[in-house]
Amino acid sequence: PGAERASYREVALTGRLPTTQEAEQVRGFGIDAIDPVLDEIMKEDAFFERLTEIFNDTLLTDRYINDTDAVGLLNAEKFPSYWFEGVEDDATRNQLAYYTNVGLAREALNLIVHVVKNDLPYTEILTADYMVFTPYSAKSYGVNVSFKDPSDPWELAVGKLPGVPHAGLLTTTMFLNRFPTTATNRNRARARVIYKFFLDTDILKLGARPLDPTSIKTVNPTMNNPNCTVCHELIDPVAATFQNYQVRNDYVPLETTEQMTWFTDMRLPGFGEAKLPEGDEKVAEQWLAKQIVADDRFAQSAVRVVWKGLTGQDLLTEPFDANQPDYVQALEAFQVQDRVVKSIASKLRSNSYNLKQVFKEIIKTDYFRATNVRLPADPEAAEARKAELGALGTAQYMTPEQLDRKIEAVTGYPWRPNRDSPDLLTNGNEYRIFYGGIDSNSITQRISDPNGIMANIAIRMANEMSCLATARDFSADPSDRLLFPYVERSFVPEDDNQFSVPAVTDAIRANIQHLYDHVLGESYDLNDPEITAAYNLFVTIWKDGKNGVTAGTYSADLPGACRSTNDYWTGNELPENRKISQDPDYTVRAWMGVLTFMLSDYKFLHE
């Protein structure tokens, strides 16, 4: 059962439900049977969209994805960044500007996608001596790059900027601007994020905080005071390797500036015990990249990023206060998880740094798959066990982007005001931020625990999507229906004498069983209490509505938004025999109630 559930939950990678073939390939064959299924899933475009989201949560370069924010970061003296401004037609110019800006804003993320899509070693995200361009971002840089289809704004291809020794995403314009430096900071902020992102080390946790300012009495404390050197002896050499990228974020070797050598009041360029070889100053960033990927922590940092993306949880940190009440349990939980993480990092290294291996290994762990646990009978022991197992299972509130894709996969339609509008959950002017999303600028942390606003958005979504999808699904041929393949609108549970109609009730129960599987990924017998509860909900709504229509209290007409009179995607009018605008038996609205109940269930909203 765990393997089957894991297969269903792969909507987290692609935004679609598993096919029957995929489910059968896993069912009954153990969790390792999911590997070939995941291998195929991780070839789909939707997976790379999800991969982009996961890594943007770390890099936050989507800060520049709006308007022409990314274009504006390019040095206009060096590059034809606003190449599209000469286009006279406003609509065409705006479209080209959009394609160009997105291609530029995601140049670091596109490098990661390129590496993973082509099964290249994950180390190339730092060691690649090239950049990844789209046809339009290449125009802004003024470089000639070969594309299969130059009109495809999303095609990716590699290329180089003349005279620039590329070091993967470390030397991309967007990374350098997202984590900028100043004349006094001297690349230290960049060094800190490099340790955090790629070496699984939070420098800020190494030193005691807060510092006593009266203890700093030495000259140049970052070089000489122990309170400062605990951090600076690590970050300053790395900062110095970015000597060719200073305040303007352009590649400008020191020998071409007034400053011929790195600052004498800072440590020399290096990494750990290694020093930058003399003569490598112009390629210092490339040298640094090689040192980072050779460090065991680099593989572990990859696990950390994917772990957070799949489970919604940060990795546990080792507890150091032995006096905290749950110290023993917290230490045990950390040690167990740490062994799992180190094992996955080892498998990444042994599999040629193919990042897809990390996704597969995390999905197969209990940290992703666990849904319940048997606790000791003793209350005190049970609480201790809960503390040890608190990190097992995901149970994360889905991100706006994930839920948006899941809604369309399950119902067949997106949640938006109308066909031509942006989706409500991914629109920054609508619900993306209110539903716990980020803008990669001022809001950089997702909300994982739902609040009142998020709960109300979910309820509104369930109501509006059941309204939109129910009649439309009934308009389709039963063989093409996602939601109601076993029933028709004429199927009422009781006849005019209020006697049950067995064949109809069986069909209703069968369809409810299907909805549980399709919407929530859960399998129940026809007589299971869950099926009965949903059946009773259907009957209660139907009886109330049928009586209301008979008495004239309720209209037989469906609300306008709940009707099915035209094709959603084309707007073309449906044939008369497929149109649904009335609901005299109140079955459409009864099924809407059942669907609302399921779409608002926490199991639908969580992963």
Side-chain angles (χ1 to χ4, degrees):
E4 294 169 20
R5 182 61 176 162
S7 176
Y8 177 80
R9 290 169 71 171
E10 284 325 291
V11 296
L13 294 184
T14 62
R16 67 166 176 82
L17 301 179
T19 65
T20 302
Q21 181 180 0
E22 289 169 342
E24 290 301 322
Q25 192 170 343
V26 173
R27 184 173 289 117
F29 291 98
I31 188 58
D32 286 333
I34 201 173
D35 278 7
V37 175
L38 294 179
D39 286 335
E40 293 303 312
I41 284 174
M42 289 189 287
K43 294 177 182 178
E44 298 178 19
D45 289 343
F47 167 71
F48 297 106
E49 183 178 349
R50 181 74 186 113
L51 180 72
T52 299
E53 291 168 3
I54 289 173
F55 275 87
N56 181 68
D57 281 5
T58 294
L59 299 179
L60 302 172
T61 50
D62 269 2
R63 170 182 181 174
Y64 307 117
I65 206 166
N66 297 315
D67 302 319
T68 55
D69 291 354
V71 180
L73 295 178
L74 270 61
N75 187 339
E77 297 177 2
K78 296 175 62 175
F79 305 115
S81 48
Y82 288 93
W83 64 273
F84 46 82
E85 284 193 336
V87 177
E88 293 185 2
D89 181 70
D90 289 346
T92 302
R93 183 175 62 254
N94 291 339
Q95 190 69 68
L96 294 175
Y98 168 74
Y99 289 149
T100 301
N101 194 75
V102 174
L104 290 170
R106 289 192 163 170
E107 61 187 17
L109 298 171
N110 286 341
L111 171 60
I112 297 172
V113 168
H114 168 78
V115 166
V116 178
K117 179 178 286 188
N118 292 283
D119 294 317
L120 300 173
Y122 178 69
T123 52
E124 283 200 27
I125 72 166
L126 300 187
T127 63
D129 63 346
Y130 56 81
M131 288 178 64
V132 173
F133 298 92
T134 66
Y136 300 118
S137 70
K139 290 179 181 291
S140 276
Y141 277 111
V143 294
N144 292 319
V145 179
S146 177
F147 292 95
K148 295 178 181 178
D149 181 4
S151 65
D152 179 358
W154 313 125
E155 183 182 343
L156 304 180
V158 301
K160 297 183 179 183
L161 298 181
V164 176
H166 296 292
L169 64 83
L170 296 179
T171 53
T172 59
T173 302
M174 298 306 126
F175 178 82
L176 293 166
N177 277 276
R178 189 63 184 85
F179 305 103
T181 188
T182 65
T184 54
N185 180 267
R186 299 176 183 175
N187 296 320
R188 290 182 174 110
R190 286 174 180 160
R192 180 183 65 81
V193 299
I194 284 171
Y195 268 101
K196 186 174 182 179
F197 295 170
F198 309 118
L199 291 163
D200 202 29
T201 302
D202 190 344
I203 293 291
L204 297 181
K205 292 183 179 180
L206 297 181
R209 293 291 189 273
L211 289 178
D212 178 5
T214 63
S215 68
I216 303 177
K217 300 177 181 179
T218 55
V219 176
N220 193 357
T222 62
M223 292 281 285
N224 303 309
N225 190 296
N227 289 310
C228 301
T229 58
V230 65
C231 295
H232 282 273
E233 66 183 1
L234 293 176
I235 64 173
D236 282 15
V238 172
T241 61
F242 276 89
Q243 57 187 286
N244 302 311
Y245 291 90
Q246 297 187 51
V247 178
R248 290 198 64 180
N249 299 320
D250 287 331
Y251 176 70
V252 182
L254 287 180
E255 65 179 30
T256 64
T257 66
E258 295 180 1
Q259 182 182 330
M260 299 296 293
T261 60
W262 188 244
F263 299 97
T264 57
D265 58 348
M266 281 183 67
R267 290 170 176 78
L268 295 176
F271 178 77
E273 298 297 323
K275 304 299 180 186
L276 177 70
E278 186 175 353
D280 281 357
E281 290 81 8
K282 289 184 178 181
V283 293
E285 298 78 19
Q286 291 185 335
W287 177 87
L288 173 65
K290 294 176 182 177
Q291 309 310 306
I292 293 173
V293 301
D295 192 295
D296 284 348
R297 292 173 294 178
F298 176 71
Q300 191 161 318
S301 73
V303 178
R304 178 179 292 275
V305 173
V306 178
W307 188 287
K308 180 64 180 290
L310 287 181
T311 70
Q313 301 177 18
D314 289 307
L315 292 176
L316 299 175
T317 56
E318 184 176 3
F320 292 103
D321 184 3
N323 294 319
Q324 71 182 64
D326 62 343
Y327 173 77
V328 174
Q329 293 81 12
L331 180 62
E332 174 70 13
F334 165 77
Q335 290 174 338
V336 172
Q337 186 187 83
D338 190 55
R339 287 195 294 269
V340 172
V341 170
K342 283 183 167 59
S343 173
I344 296 174
S346 177
K347 290 180 180 179
L348 173 63
R349 288 189 289 267
S350 63
N351 281 273
S352 303
Y353 278 91
N354 190 321
L355 190 67
K356 293 176 182 177
Q357 189 69 34
V358 175
F359 280 88
K360 291 192 288 188
E361 295 302 324
I362 291 175
I363 285 170
K364 291 189 290 186
T365 67
D366 289 340
Y367 292 95
F368 183 83
R369 297 172 54 233
T371 57
N372 54 49
V373 66
R374 182 175 297 171
L375 295 174
D378 178 65
E380 186 174 341
E383 286 302 313
R385 189 63 172 153
K386 283 182 182 179
E388 289 179 350
L389 303 178
L392 289 183
T394 54
Q396 64 165 322
Y397 218 60
M398 299 185 79
T399 68
E401 296 86 354
Q402 285 178 290
L403 182 58
D404 179 68
R405 289 189 288 266
K406 187 175 183 179
I407 290 168
E408 186 167 350
V410 167
T411 67
Y413 303 98
W415 187 33
R416 56 180 65 160
N418 56 67
R419 185 185 69 241
D420 299 320
S421 300
D423 293 359
L424 290 168
L425 282 169
T426 56
N427 187 343
N429 294 321
E430 294 288 350
Y431 295 147
R432 189 180 75 204
I433 303 303
F434 287 130
Y435 202 71
I438 62 174
D439 62 6
S440 302
N441 186 9
S442 59
I443 303 171
T444 59
Q445 295 293 324
R446 295 185 181 276
I447 298 175
S448 57
D449 296 320
N451 54 39
I453 293 176
M454 295 167 70
N456 278 297
I457 291 173
I459 292 171
R460 177 171 182 172
M461 176 278 296
N463 277 309
E464 292 188 357
M465 288 309 303
S466 64
C467 165
L468 172 69
T470 301
R472 291 185 179 277
D473 202 66
F474 274 117
S475 285
D477 185 90
S479 61
D480 296 327
R481 295 178 191 170
L482 291 176
L483 303 171
F484 308 108
Y486 302 119
V487 292
E488 297 295 342
R489 290 181 295 145
S490 58
F491 285 20
V492 295
E494 296 177 358
D495 61 22
D496 293 339
N497 296 315
Q498 298 184 343
F499 288 112
S500 176
V501 183
V504 172
T505 57
D506 287 347
I508 293 172
R509 283 179 171 272
N511 205 91
I512 290 173
Q513 184 184 50
H514 165 77
L515 286 175
Y516 267 108
D517 178 64
H518 179 75
V519 179
L520 301 177
E522 298 184 336
S523 298
Y524 296 107
D525 293 333
L526 283 176
N527 294 318
D528 190 276
E530 285 285 343
I531 301 292
T532 299
Y535 175 80
N536 290 338
L537 174 63
F538 174 86
V539 171
T540 299
I541 297 173
W542 170 74
K543 282 185 176 180
D544 176 76
K546 181 65 173 176
N547 292 335
V549 171
T550 301
T553 306
Y554 300 155
S555 173
D557 295 330
L558 286 170
C562 306
R563 299 178 183 181
S564 177
T565 57
N566 63 330
D567 182 272
Y568 180 84
W569 300 106
T570 66
N572 295 333
E573 191 172 348
L574 294 176
E576 286 299 322
N577 64 335
R578 291 178 53 196
K579 289 183 179 179
I580 300 175
S581 58
Q582 291 190 315
D583 183 29
D585 291 325
Y586 218 85
T587 52
V588 173
R589 282 168 282 191
W591 281 116
M592 283 169 52
V594 174
L595 187 56
T596 299
F597 154 68
M598 293 190 178
L599 292 178
S600 59
D601 192 294
Y602 85 95
K603 301 184 195 73
F604 182 78
L605 304 171
H606 285 68
E607 269 297 338

